[in-house]
Amino acid sequence: MYGTFQQFLNNELANIESAGLYKRERIIKTPQKADIRINEGEEALNFCANNYLGLSGDTRLIEAAKKTMDARGFGMSSVRFICGTQDLHKQLEAAISDYFKTEDTILYGSCFDANGGLFEPLLAEEDAIISDALNHASIIDGVRLCKARRYRYANADTDELEKCLQAAQAQRHRIIATDGVFSMDGNVAPMDKICALAEKYGALVMVDESHSAGVAGPTGRGVAELYDIYGKIDIFTGTLGKSFGGAMGGFTTGHREIIDLLRQRSRPYLFSNSLPPAIVGAGIEAFGILRESDELHTRLMNNVKYFRDRMMDAGFDIKPTQSAICAVMLYDARLSQLFARRMQEEGIFVTGFYYPVVPENQARIRVQLSAGHETAHLDRAIGAFIKTGKELNVIK
């Protein structure tokens, strides 16, 4: 039997390869940080990680993980409601609730699990989900698992959102689902307008803070802080795998009753092992660091401004951003791949994105800045962009 299926798989893989969409893993031989070694020891500067606050290799988090493992063991060998809950899990949930100013939090193995386990327990076929067209795949998959009526509006288009809300008045309950920061463009959802429409039409609001927490807002507390709309967003989901240490783990945080029902019915929570102690201990430490000081967020946003201003001065087309994501627009798919290869030859680790990951004819290099980048790192990357841009006739 496998012979026939094997041929099918080989054909599918060949089609992916011929379309230029085959994903090859690039090997890193150091901790995740600004300066890394790849392949056979080749040195590079990393500008494509989600390590926004530079905590992935932070010694305080590493020490916290070691101490927690020594004190509480390696793994939990259980789901939360059987015998997989330690006091540390509750401490981390409390720290997340404090950070987002919410009533309660539930931990998951990833934000993909958090989004995948969110909608089905809360909504039924007589309800409605109104989703931004550029939402993350995890939100899309979570919506698919739910029987609620689905509406979709163009990215950040509040006029189209309002039309969806008007149509959704036929349903019992409504929820608007959106990313806080959209990962390919770096734009922030217009949460002030979204919340105003939600209030007008009687809808709940859910936002995925994976790319906005630790980044957006005066002190990086996310979109509620950015727009000063605390109390108007009902559900936040997010990850510990970006700003908050870069390992793994996700969460949903919001109203107490919502979180309580998720504990009763959310399948990824009920049927997955709880987060291991080392991850939890490091997560607690990460939120402790962010309570102490806004230094990392300030450094990050200074780096974003420095990089973006100089790249625009050099003539590059950069999408507007209120995040740590800078989309260097090239438009042509093949050019984006050639540009990324040339940048790696210059010792700069970046990735080119093109259709269907981004809209057709919207290919770009997505640069992700970090508080771990020093000015010398930024200058070296900008220099490589300028050199490559001139060689490939992107800039003059």
Side-chain angles (χ1 to χ4, degrees):
M1 173 59 202
Y2 184 65
T4 303
F5 189 60
Q6 182 182 36
Q7 185 59 50
F8 165 77
L9 295 177
N10 285 331
N11 290 339
E12 289 294 301
L13 290 167
N15 290 337
I16 294 171
E17 178 79 57
S18 64
L21 300 176
Y22 194 89
K23 301 172 184 65
R24 289 178 170 82
E25 296 178 343
R26 299 185 289 182
I27 307 302
I28 298 175
K29 296 189 172 184
T30 60
Q32 182 69 278
K33 54 182 181 174
D35 52 321
I36 57 176
R37 287 197 309 277
I38 58 177
N39 301 325
E40 300 304 319
E42 175 186 351
E43 294 185 357
L45 296 179
N46 195 350
F47 281 87
C48 56
N50 300 313
N51 187 21
Y52 297 131
L53 297 179
L55 291 173
S56 295
D58 189 277
T59 56
R60 292 163 295 183
L61 268 64
I62 294 170
E63 273 307 306
K66 289 178 180 178
K67 289 179 179 178
T68 308
M69 190 182 297
D70 287 341
R72 301 301 172 86
F74 176 66
M76 294 307 304
S77 304
S78 179
V79 300
R80 285 283 297 269
F81 79 96
I82 298 177
C83 61
T85 301
Q86 290 182 333
D87 55 342
L88 296 179
H89 291 98
K90 306 305 290 185
Q91 289 176 32
L92 178 54
E93 288 171 340
I96 294 170
S97 297
D98 179 69
Y99 187 87
F100 287 97
K101 298 186 179 181
T102 53
E103 293 179 339
D104 200 4
T105 297
I106 179 173
L107 293 173
Y108 290 88
S110 66
C111 189
F112 209 108
D113 280 348
N115 287 334
L118 175 64
F119 301 101
E120 189 271 338
L122 301 177
L123 303 169
E125 54 192 9
E126 59 264 45
D127 302 315
I129 303 170
I130 305 110
S131 182
D132 190 288
L134 293 188
N135 277 341
H136 190 267
S138 58
I139 297 178
I140 295 170
D141 284 1
V143 171
R144 285 173 176 165
L145 292 170
C146 179
K147 294 181 180 179
R149 175 74 182 272
R150 305 169 194 171
Y151 297 86
R152 190 173 77 157
Y153 62 97
N155 178 231
D157 187 332
T158 52
D159 290 336
E160 194 166 321
L161 169 60
E162 183 166 20
K163 292 176 183 177
C164 291
L165 284 164
Q166 290 168 348
Q169 294 304 297
Q171 278 73 56
R172 180 183 61 175
H173 303 307
R174 292 155 293 283
I175 184 169
I176 303 167
T178 180
D179 281 355
V181 164
F182 297 92
S183 60
M184 287 299 146
D185 287 0
N187 61 311
V188 180
M191 295 308 305
D192 52 346
K193 296 177 181 178
I194 289 173
C195 288
L197 286 172
E199 187 171 350
K200 179 178 179 180
Y201 291 99
L204 300 170
V205 178
M206 169 267 176
V207 58
D208 182 331
E209 289 267 43
S210 291
H211 288 277
S212 48
V215 178
T219 66
R221 294 303 193 271
V223 295
E225 182 189 56
L226 176 65
Y227 291 105
D228 192 20
I229 49 173
Y230 283 110
K232 296 184 179 181
I233 297 174
D234 301 284
I235 303 168
F236 299 91
T237 62
T239 179
L240 302 177
K242 293 181 172 59
S243 290
F244 306 132
M248 63 173 295
F251 57 86
T252 299
T253 188
H255 298 295
R256 191 175 310 282
E257 298 82 3
I258 290 174
I259 302 306
D260 196 18
L261 189 59
L262 291 176
R263 291 192 194 279
Q264 306 306 310
R265 294 182 178 173
S266 183
R267 291 167 72 86
Y269 178 81
L270 292 172
F271 297 104
S272 297
N273 265 15
S274 49
L275 281 178
I279 300 294
V280 177
I284 293 170
E285 182 70 15
F287 283 99
I289 290 170
L290 298 182
R291 280 196 304 272
E292 293 170 4
S293 167
D294 187 38
E295 178 186 354
L296 294 176
H297 174 256
T298 299
R299 191 186 308 163
L300 169 64
M301 300 318 293
N302 287 341
N303 283 348
V304 172
K305 186 177 189 311
Y306 184 93
F307 179 85
R308 188 172 183 276
D309 287 352
R310 280 153 184 77
M311 287 287 286
M312 293 183 69
D313 288 345
F316 285 99
D317 182 358
I318 309 288
K319 277 186 171 286
T321 184
Q322 291 174 282
S323 69
I325 297 168
C326 290
V328 183
M329 300 304 297
L330 300 173
Y331 301 100
D332 180 81
R334 292 186 180 275
L335 176 60
S336 71
Q337 300 310 291
L338 176 58
F339 204 110
R341 288 198 298 273
R342 292 281 188 90
M343 289 292 286
Q344 186 162 327
E345 292 171 4
E346 296 294 323
I348 307 298
F349 213 41
V350 292
T351 301
F353 293 91
Y354 54 97
Y355 181 83
V357 178
V358 296
E360 201 163 6
N361 301 317
Q362 291 291 307
R364 80 281 306 269
I365 300 289
R366 183 182 69 172
V367 177
Q368 291 167 279
L369 283 306
S370 169
H373 288 129
E374 299 175 1
T375 303
H377 297 147
L378 302 177
D379 286 339
R380 184 174 156 191
I382 294 164
F385 265 105
I386 291 172
K387 178 183 177 183
T388 304
K390 289 181 177 178
E391 289 174 351
L392 298 179
N393 297 316
V394 174
I395 59 172
K396 296 181 180 180

